[in-house]
Each structure stands twice: as structure tokens, then as C-alpha cells.
Amino acid sequence: MKKITISDLNNWKALGEKFASITAYDASFSKIFEEQNMPVLIVGDSLGSVIQGKPTTLNVSIDDLVYHTKCVRAGSPNAFIISDLPFMSYHNPHTACESAAKLMKAGANMVKIEGGSWLINTVKILTERAIPVCAHLGLMPQAVNIYGGYKVQGKTEEQATKILENAQQLQRAGAQALVLECIPAKLAQQITLELNIPVIGIGAGKDTDGQVLVMHDILGVSANYIPRFSRNFLAETGSIEAAVKKYIEEVKQKTFPDEKHSF
Ligand code: KIV
């Protein structure tokens, strides 16, 4: 696989070519993903659940993310790696810069932060300092205690308007990509059309520019449960390589996600 950059993601958006991405946490799997031409890897703080076995992502530290980013980069020299800034590692711009620099030095190409308009200044400051930012809206797992559980977001008109406005504000502030998690497919479609930056969906329907799934979910080995929007591709194919290949292909062909896997 050739080296993937943000320009590739922008081109795919412009051309209407859908792209897949997957979470990754170690070198063995990131090597397999790269061999199957997975262009984007997300080193997510979901590692709190799937690696550490915790009920939420809140205990994941910046050191955990640095460690796993290094592991993923070791197995995949060419994928575009987006690494999460974990809970309370970006609550002010100064801390955000220090945390983000650690992830970039560990091998990330971009950092991801969960939140709306309160992050505008942080996004400006990070991008001015050469740290590319992916915003994350919709269901933001670090806010689970505000929601009282993992719930689909943006179902009311008021919530939907707020998510759309936040997406526009974060793009204006300099965010170069956006993850939308667990929102109605129609809203995700509208946001994807209105933004110039690539939008990656998880539980956000078929119309976002890219898709991401948690690797343990597509391999059917999640410690807790497989969410409704995900799919066990391993069960359908019989090998890890074939499962990854089928997931990438179905995203490109726009057959995944279908309505059964959307809200
Ligand atoms: O933590 C994570 O793995 C994520 C992805 C699912 C986007 O945020």
C-alpha cells in the first residue's frame, strides 16, 4: 500500500469514493490491515473496553494511547493513523498541545477529540501548531455519564441542528476530518454534504465519506457485546484477512452499512 495522507482522504471525498477504516491497537493486526490495503487506522480510546475490559473509556491515559499508537505504527508504516486524545487530556489548549504532541511523535498523522463548540479554540491552536485534528460528534463515549448511557444522538430537531452547527464551527476552526458516531443516517448525510472535510461514520448510515468499525466487533471477539450498527465479518468469511477484505469491499461498493445497521 502506498503512503496514505490527508490529501487522499480529500480526493476520495471529492470523487465520491467511499473508504473504510478500522480501529487498531497492536502491530500484528495493523500489519494484516495494511496488507489488505486498509487506508485509515484509528487508535481509539475504545481500547479501554476491548483491550482493558473496562465498562467505559474514562480510565484510558495518554500513555496508553502513546503506547498503542507506537505499536500500530510499527505494523503499518503507510496507513493514515488517527489517534484519540483520551478523557481529560485536552480539557484546555495547553494540555491538548502537550498530549497531541506525544501522539504525533508516536506515529499518528492526526489526533481525534470529542466535543462541540467548546473545542473551537483548541482546534485552532492545535492546527496552527501543525497538529491535524479530527473532530468527533454525535455519540461521544467520553460523555457517557452526561447521557446516562450509550444512546443514539441527534434524534430531535434541536439536537440535530446543534450537531450540524458544531460540525461547521469545527471545520471553520481548522478540523480536517470528522467522525460522526451513532446519529440518524439522514443527519449524517446532510452533514457530509455540507462539509468540505472527509466525514467518517460509525452507526451513522451509508452516506458518510468513510466508515469505521471497532476491529473486535467485525471479528466477533468483543468482550462485551456487538453493537447493532456493526457486523461480524469473520463469521461470514472464515478468516481475519477475508473478513477485513470483505468489509473494505462492501464499504467501497456501498453495500455496508445497510438500513439494518443504521439508525
Ligand atoms: O474510540 C474509538 O475506537 C473511536 C472510533 C470507534 C471512531 O472513537
Side-chain angles (χ1 to χ4, degrees):
M1 188 170 80
K2 79 169 188 73
K3 192 144 197 83
I4 307 296
T5 70
I6 187 64
S7 305
D8 293 301
L9 275 65
N10 288 331
N11 287 340
W12 295 330
K13 178 172 182 111
L15 295 168
E17 283 178 22
K18 304 287 180 199
F19 61 90
S21 66
I22 193 164
T23 65
Y25 314 96
D26 70 33
S28 301
F29 278 104
S30 67
K31 182 164 179 287
I32 293 174
F33 298 152
E34 175 146 337
E35 283 163 359
Q36 298 305 317
N37 293 317
M38 183 69 79
V40 180
L41 300 178
I42 298 188
V43 188
D45 61 359
S46 51
L47 71 86
S49 316
V50 296
I51 304 289
Q52 299 173 341
K54 301 267 169 54
T56 73
T57 59
L58 302 191
N59 286 303
V60 177
S61 69
I62 187 67
D63 290 345
D64 293 333
L65 258 306
V66 167
Y67 172 77
H68 287 281
T69 299
K70 282 184 186 164
C71 295
V72 169
R73 180 53 87 199
S76 175
N78 295 311
F80 187 78
I81 295 183
I82 304 174
S83 293
D84 265 345
L85 282 172
F87 183 60
M88 284 297 143
S89 71
Y90 56 99
H91 52 285
N92 62 53
H94 177 76
T95 311
C97 283
E98 297 209 321
S99 305
K102 289 182 186 170
L103 294 181
M104 299 301 287
K105 288 179 187 178
N109 298 108
M110 181 176 259
V111 301
K112 180 161 77 60
I113 48 183
E114 296 179 11
S117 50
W118 71 272
L119 281 172
I120 288 171
N121 197 32
T122 300
V123 171
K124 272 193 194 143
I125 288 173
L126 285 171
T127 51
E128 281 165 3
R129 282 152 187 74
I131 295 172
V133 177
C134 176
H136 182 145
L137 292 169
L139 171 60
M140 298 175 284
Q142 292 172 21
V144 61
N145 290 306
I146 299 279
Y147 308 135
Y150 295 103
K151 298 175 182 169
V152 178
Q153 301 294 305
K155 291 209 284 197
T156 67
E157 207 168 315
E158 192 188 343
Q159 279 180 0
T161 305
K162 191 167 167 205
I163 295 172
L164 172 61
E165 284 173 0
N166 280 339
Q168 289 166 328
Q169 289 166 340
L170 291 163
Q171 174 179 267
R172 271 199 298 277
Q176 287 178 276
L178 172 68
V179 164
L180 289 176
E181 179 163 351
C182 287
I183 62 169
K186 266 254 151 303
L187 174 61
Q189 180 191 42
Q190 188 191 0
I191 295 172
T192 305
L193 286 174
E194 294 205 11
L195 295 195
N196 304 318
I197 58 175
V199 177
I200 303 173
I202 174 163
K206 65 177 174 31
D207 293 309
T208 51
D209 303 304
Q211 297 289 333
V212 58
L213 288 177
V214 171
M215 59 161 278
H216 292 66
D217 293 343
I218 81 156
L219 302 178
V221 291
S222 290
N224 300 323
Y225 81 112
I226 298 190
R228 180 192 130 182
F229 55 77
S230 197
R231 189 168 133 192
N232 183 343
F233 283 90
L234 184 70
E236 297 171 28
T237 55
S239 82
I240 295 171
E241 287 80 0
V244 173
K245 196 172 171 166
K246 187 165 169 60
Y247 164 52
I248 294 173
E249 213 36 51
E250 290 221 16
V251 170
K252 280 192 184 160
Q253 298 305 323
K254 305 179 194 171
T255 51
F256 178 84
D258 56 15
E259 277 183 19
K260 218 171 50 223
H261 297 99
S262 307
F263 300 107

